Amino acid sequence: PYQLPNDTAYAETCAAIASILWNHRLFNFFGEGRFMDVIERTLYNGFLSGISLDGRRFFYDNVLASNGKTHRKDWYFCACCPTNIVRFLGSMGQLVYSCGDGEVYVNLYVAGTGQTTVNGQQVVVKQQTNYPWEGAVKIEVHPERREEFTICLRIPGWCREYGLRINGSPVDNGTTEDGYVRLRRAWQSKDLIEVDLAMPVERVYAHPNVEANVGKVAIQRG
């Protein structure tokens, strides 16, 4: 159970995508933020690391350590990972937002615009943020007409402190339910929600029985 070597780890990029898809199905079934926590961690640390910054080179298996001989490649004869990355990026909007009975879920903090239907009317949600580099998020809500419904904001499991404002006025954080803060009110076009997530830098240690990580530490932000 604790044999987790870093230099020979076979962390396939497609496996990271599979983990995201599986946890998305679990979220759709249970509606709990803990599954989105797994998606977020995998998205930024397991999936995106498979592709280079210029989008032209790929890792098939993402080893966690390298002696300088491990590099991304232009292509593979078994080309599932590069094509899977392209397909997955095109479907990411399905992860960012969800809707339920009179509820809009903001699952991931990603700059852009989403559109859904609540209580029979179209609702557009716009996010402005530099997340994950910064914890500040601005969310504009644009229903077709003034309507009462609930906006569910995910508070990541790693976040210990956060602040909320609606149209500039502070909102009592209250308690989260299944990893979400639920804001119910009569929303109208251009209502603005501001979320500030504290993202301190922390040290993370592996279980002491993981021999490969004895004497090592990971640095995590957010």
Side-chain angles (χ1 to χ4, degrees):
Y2 298 104
Q3 185 182 5
L4 297 169
N6 296 306
D7 55 344
T8 58
Y10 188 69
E12 186 181 344
T13 299
C14 281
I17 295 174
S19 173
I20 292 172
L21 296 178
W22 170 242
N23 278 278
H24 188 220
R25 284 162 174 76
L26 290 173
F27 168 77
N28 286 337
F29 190 81
F30 292 103
E32 298 177 12
R34 61 192 177 107
F35 301 113
M36 282 295 165
D37 287 348
V38 175
I39 288 174
E40 181 179 76
R41 182 182 294 271
T42 307
L43 179 65
Y44 291 118
N45 298 281
F47 164 70
L48 282 180
S49 56
I51 186 170
S52 62
L53 288 176
D54 63 8
R56 298 173 64 89
R57 298 175 68 83
F58 305 89
F59 269 145
Y60 190 95
D61 52 314
N62 280 326
V63 297
L64 303 179
S66 173
N67 60 6
K69 297 182 180 180
T70 303
H71 304 284
R72 294 177 181 85
K73 298 181 180 179
D74 291 329
W75 198 248
Y76 295 90
F77 289 109
C78 177
C80 61
C81 287
T83 52
N84 221 357
I85 287 174
V86 173
R87 179 179 65 173
F88 179 81
L89 285 173
S91 66
M92 263 198 63
Q94 300 175 38
L95 303 176
V96 179
Y97 301 103
S98 301
C99 64
D101 186 14
E103 297 178 323
V104 176
Y105 286 80
V106 181
N107 301 315
L108 299 173
Y109 298 114
V110 178
T113 302
Q115 178 180 310
T116 187
T117 301
V118 180
N119 297 341
Q121 71 160 307
Q122 178 181 293
V123 177
V124 174
V125 181
K126 297 181 179 180
Q127 287 195 57
Q128 298 179 35
T129 183
N130 197 32
Y131 188 92
W133 310 113
E134 298 174 5
V137 186
K138 292 183 179 181
I139 303 170
E140 284 188 13
V141 184
H142 297 273
E144 289 180 309
R145 61 184 181 275
R146 182 181 174 89
E147 180 78 20
E148 183 173 333
F149 57 90
T150 302
I151 294 183
C152 307
L153 302 177
R154 173 176 155 266
I155 304 300
W158 50 260
C159 182
R160 298 180 180 87
E161 295 182 10
Y162 63 94
L164 289 174
R165 292 183 298 276
I166 297 179
N167 297 329
S169 299
V171 177
D172 182 12
N173 293 352
T175 57
T176 60
E177 180 183 344
D178 293 331
Y180 287 81
V181 167
R182 285 167 163 76
L183 305 175
R184 185 168 186 82
R185 56 177 275 150
W187 299 94
Q188 57 188 1
S189 185
K190 297 185 180 180
D191 275 345
L192 177 65
I193 305 170
E194 294 176 272
V195 188
D196 289 300
L197 305 174
M199 302 180 70
V201 176
E202 299 180 340
R203 289 179 288 187
V204 180
Y205 301 91
H207 191 285
N209 287 351
V210 181
E211 183 178 353
N213 288 337
V214 171
K216 298 180 179 178
V217 62
I219 303 299
Q220 171 182 289
R221 180 169 182 265

